[in-house]
Amino acid sequence: MLAALTGLGLSTAAGLNAYIPLLVVGVLANVTDAVKLPDGYSWLSNWGVLAVIAVLLVAEMVLDKVPAVDTVNDMIQTVVRPATGGVVFSATSAAAELDHSTWMADNPWAGWLLGIVLALAVHALKAAARPVINAGTAGVGAPVVSTVEDAGSLGMSLVAVFAPVLVIIGVLLFALVAWWGVRKARRVRARRKAARASSRGLMDAPPPG
């Protein structure tokens, strides 16, 4: 059960940022006993691989904070984030085999499938919300929301590893924050459209007298 919650949390984090949960898992596997990767996933703890992931993370963090560019980046990440979700969930599930989890051992595909679906769902919500937020805030919200997403991905990754019982609360909190953000951005966008329509109406009105 805890392994499944860890996979759930890491896959959710991957939907927000593909590289943060990979780095968290890889680094912790090297410097702590909190993560034990099976032989098939030992590459994830290779420092050379982690260095490449770190470079990709920096690029992702920069691109995701630029309005319009972030939308293009989300299109590219439609493949990367779900794939990462599959990797981290599967690695966690495979690690559970070390604890003699028979079901996971007999169904190795389950971790991949669940991780891909979860990360894809979170990514889809993020990708759909960002244009609305950008339009509603004239692009000002992009770096703010992106920073919050990065922090959320890091926080969720750490919670998934060290306190997996709290993952459900984290997922629900993410859903509420995303819903509130999209709703607020739509209200701001609607007010701006109404203001522009009103301004055009005043300009088109015939002069008095």
Side-chain angles (χ1 to χ4, degrees):
M1 180 62 180
L2 290 180
L5 289 175
T6 297
L8 170 65
L10 291 172
S11 298
T12 301
L16 293 173
N17 187 303
Y19 308 110
I20 288 176
L22 287 176
L23 273 179
V24 168
V25 169
V27 170
L28 290 180
N30 276 317
V31 301
T32 73
D33 294 326
V35 176
K36 297 179 181 179
L37 296 173
D39 292 338
Y41 295 88
S42 58
W43 59 269
L44 190 52
S45 61
N46 181 283
W47 286 112
V49 172
L50 292 175
V52 173
I53 294 173
V55 172
L56 294 173
L57 172 60
V58 172
E60 158 83 357
M61 293 177 70
V62 172
L63 294 174
D64 198 51
K65 292 173 176 58
V66 181
V69 176
D70 59 350
T71 301
V72 176
N73 180 59
D74 280 336
M75 294 174 62
I76 297 172
Q77 295 294 322
T78 300
V79 175
V80 179
R81 289 170 186 155
T84 298
V87 169
V88 291
F89 200 120
S90 182
T92 305
S93 300
E97 295 176 19
L98 300 177
D99 299 324
H100 310 293
S101 174
T102 304
W103 193 90
M104 287 295 184
D106 294 339
N107 299 274
W109 54 268
W112 277 95
L113 181 60
L114 288 171
I116 289 171
V117 170
L118 288 168
L120 181 60
V122 174
H123 163 75
L125 179 59
K126 166 185 162 62
R130 185 59 69 84
V132 176
I133 293 172
N134 286 346
T137 62
V140 176
V144 176
V145 173
S146 178
T147 301
V148 172
E149 290 170 352
D150 292 341
S153 181
L154 176 59
M156 180 65 79
S157 297
L158 294 175
V159 167
V161 173
F162 293 109
V165 292
L166 300 179
V167 164
I168 297 297
I169 296 175
V171 171
L172 292 175
L173 182 61
F174 161 74
L176 287 174
V177 170
W179 173 78
W180 176 82
V182 171
R183 190 174 181 184
K184 185 176 179 63
R186 283 178 174 171
R187 286 178 177 175
V188 171
R189 187 178 183 182
R191 284 199 297 267
R192 289 187 173 179
K193 288 179 67 176
R196 286 196 297 267
S198 176
S199 176
R200 285 195 297 267
L202 290 175
M203 292 176 63
D204 295 338

